Amino acid sequence: MSSVNTKPLSKLNVFSFKGIQMRTFHITWFTFFVCFFGWFGLAPLMPTIKENLQLDKSQIGNIVIASVSGTIVARLLIGRLCDTWGPRKTYTALLLIGAIPVMGVGLAESYTSFLLFRLAISVIGASFVITQFHTSMMFAPNIKGTANAVAGGWGNLGGGVTNIVMPLIFAAIVGAGYTGNEAWRQAMIFPGLMMLIAAFLYFKYTKDTPAGNFDEIERVKEKGKTDYSVLKDWRIWALTLAYAMCFGMEITFDNVAALHFVQEYKLDQSSAGLWAGVFGLMNLFARALGGIFADRIGKSYGMRGKGILLAGVLLLEGIGLILFARAGSLPLAIISMLSFALFLKMANGATYAITPFINEKNVGFVSGVVGAGGNLGGMLFGFLFKSPSITYGEAFSYIGVIVVLVSFIVLLTRFAKVKPAAEPVTVLEPVA
């Protein structure tokens, strides 16, 4: 058997479907796309849902918080399952379980029941950890950051596409003669069915590693134990904090963007969904740019260079957020949104160009912790948007300042680990 079929790839050819590595890569990012579509399918429909369920600002804030809260715990558990059970079985189970509340949310008739469904749907967000873990298994260290960024970015496209497509599905159902109250409920069946299809594709056409599934290569026996002592490593918490600032802001914006454009600039639901969707569509290239630049900088300047890049894009993200909050007009808001979106998504990619190298024996667990940080950030930001005394614009401004401060914390963190001389050194990447 040739090595290309059983070893991680050292090149990423996105136009190739040859071999288990590339087949898994494409199925993985597509599955993450589907999960994101289901996770945020309700967001662009919130103007209608707000009226139907008579929700106030505080209740909407609680819904935003619930939409990301369940993911925090789920990502920690999913990371452990990836290390032991394998990404193939883990992803399939998550898709099957997650499709239930996505299709069932239409049964909600009150604020409380809707809140509980939204909390259950949030578990789908753990799909990100599996995506990054599985991609890391399929690619060599020199291209791992780029592969992770492309898979994560294309998957995150689901958050942009759902903002554009779900209002169209809603409008089509209304055009067929149903009321708005009926239409948003029926529209959610579509992403649920997509998740069931993705579950079938994932189980049938992917492998845990290029060499085979975990039970076939007896990986469970070799690496089944998670070393929780890795949590003493400050680098993990610095990355967790960084991811809270970038991905945490991304999922927050996905949740509130349509409402913000409706309330602040008096757009209709479809137009607001379109502009909110543009924010998400930048994942087509922006997150990948973060990973590509990180890999290239890493070749010359090692982990220190990657850390400086991450700090830089976080700083620019924070400045862009402050400008967005103070835009005052729709054209300026769109320009500043595109600006902070670019650097935010690059920060996402740069974060996970570092994460897989922190502890290779516990990649799933570390990925889960850092990934959970993103949702923790989203949950905490949600409290700003539920406050009756803080406008959405003020909330964006406060978050921008926080992101700027965190960028300096990341800048001061040394991501390169010095190994004892007695230990054999494993070279992960060239050092300057």
Side-chain angles (χ1 to χ4, degrees):
M1 183 178 293
S2 62
S3 60
V4 70
N5 292 324
T6 60
K7 294 182 179 180
L9 298 181
S10 58
K11 293 183 179 180
L12 174 63
N13 180 2
V14 297
F15 299 106
S16 172
F17 288 82
K18 183 179 180 181
I20 189 61
Q21 299 93 331
M22 289 309 303
R23 186 166 73 240
T24 297
F25 170 80
H26 285 295
I27 294 176
T28 297
W29 77 254
F30 173 74
T31 301
F32 186 37
F33 175 97
V34 170
C35 287
F36 230 92
F37 199 100
W39 188 10
F40 289 100
L42 291 166
L45 306 180
M46 282 305 295
T48 296
I49 297 171
K50 175 185 177 182
E51 293 183 6
N52 290 154
L53 298 182
Q54 299 181 339
L55 304 174
D56 58 32
K57 184 182 180 185
S58 178
Q59 290 173 327
I60 292 175
N62 288 333
I63 290 169
V64 170
I65 293 169
S67 71
V68 298
S69 297
T71 313
I72 299 172
V73 177
R75 286 190 171 188
L76 295 174
L77 296 176
I78 288 294
R80 173 76 172 117
L81 287 176
C82 283
D83 281 326
T84 56
W85 205 17
R88 173 173 161 269
K89 292 180 181 177
T90 303
Y91 225 145
T92 302
L94 180 65
L95 288 162
L96 294 175
I97 295 172
I100 297 173
V102 170
M103 291 189 287
V105 68
L107 300 174
E109 295 289 348
S110 66
Y111 158 68
T112 301
S113 58
F114 185 83
L115 181 70
L116 292 175
F117 270 109
R118 201 69 184 96
L119 179 63
I121 290 173
S122 72
V123 174
I124 300 169
S127 55
F128 171 74
V129 176
I130 314 174
T131 298
Q132 298 292 280
F133 180 93
H134 214 171
T135 305
S136 294
M137 299 299 293
M138 294 294 166
F139 292 90
N142 69 298
I143 197 68
K144 194 174 293 188
T146 299
N148 277 343
V150 174
W154 288 2
N156 282 354
L157 275 174
V161 173
T162 192
N163 271 301
I164 298 172
V165 173
M166 288 301 284
L168 297 179
I169 295 175
F170 171 88
I173 296 173
V174 170
Y178 293 91
T179 66
N181 186 37
E182 295 170 326
W184 74 261
R185 301 170 188 275
Q186 296 177 21
M188 287 302 292
I189 295 176
F190 177 72
L193 291 176
M194 289 177 64
M195 291 176 66
L196 295 179
I197 294 172
F200 169 77
L201 294 175
Y202 216 93
F203 188 80
K204 186 173 179 62
Y205 295 108
T206 70
K207 295 284 187 180
D208 290 326
T209 74
N213 293 319
F214 279 12
D215 51 0
E216 297 170 343
I217 62 176
E218 298 183 350
R219 179 184 168 90
V220 176
K221 293 181 181 179
E222 294 177 8
K223 298 187 178 182
K225 295 182 179 180
T226 298
D227 182 8
Y228 292 98
S229 67
V230 301
L231 295 177
K232 297 177 182 179
D233 190 337
W234 162 249
R235 297 175 302 164
I236 294 176
W237 299 111
L239 291 172
T240 300
L241 192 58
Y243 207 57
M245 296 301 104
C246 50
F247 187 72
M249 186 60 237
E250 176 166 5
I251 57 179
T252 298
F253 197 81
D254 282 335
N255 263 321
V256 304
L259 270 174
H260 177 65
F261 285 125
V262 168
Q263 296 173 359
E264 185 71 19
Y265 302 107
K266 311 305 178 185
L267 301 182
D268 58 42
Q269 182 169 275
S270 295
S271 297
L274 174 62
W275 288 118
V278 170
F279 170 84
L281 289 178
M282 291 189 68
N283 276 302
L284 182 63
F285 65 91
R287 183 165 184 148
L289 283 179
I292 292 170
F293 286 156
D295 279 345
R296 291 185 177 180
I297 290 174
K299 289 179 181 179
S300 299
Y301 301 101
M303 295 287 275
R304 177 58 178 164
K306 289 184 178 183
I308 293 174
L309 172 67
L310 177 57
V313 289
L314 283 172
L315 175 63
L316 294 173
E317 174 200 340
I319 294 173
L321 269 168
I322 295 171
L323 294 175
F324 175 77
R326 302 179 180 181
S329 67
L330 183 60
L332 288 177
I334 298 302
I335 293 172
S336 55
M337 179 192 74
L338 295 177
S339 174
F340 87 76
L342 172 64
F343 298 114
L344 176 154
K345 296 170 194 300
M346 286 183 67
N348 285 338
T351 300
Y352 270 84
I354 299 174
T355 301
F357 296 96
I358 297 298
N359 190 298
E360 287 189 297
K361 293 183 179 180
N362 293 275
V363 174
F365 181 63
V366 174
S367 295
V369 172
V370 175
N375 287 85
L376 180 61
M379 183 189 75
L380 295 176
F381 293 155
F383 284 101
L384 292 175
F385 290 94
K386 76 168 282 190
S387 173
S389 61
I390 300 176
T391 65
Y392 276 17
E394 290 172 335
F396 285 124
S397 184
Y398 295 155
I399 295 171
V401 172
I402 295 171
V403 175
V404 169
L405 294 176
V406 169
S407 71
F408 287 101
I409 295 176
V410 173
L411 181 64
L412 296 174
T413 300
R414 295 182 62 85
F415 289 103
K417 184 176 181 180
V418 180
K419 296 187 177 183
E423 292 185 9
V425 178
T426 300
V427 178
L428 298 179
E429 56 184 11
V431 180

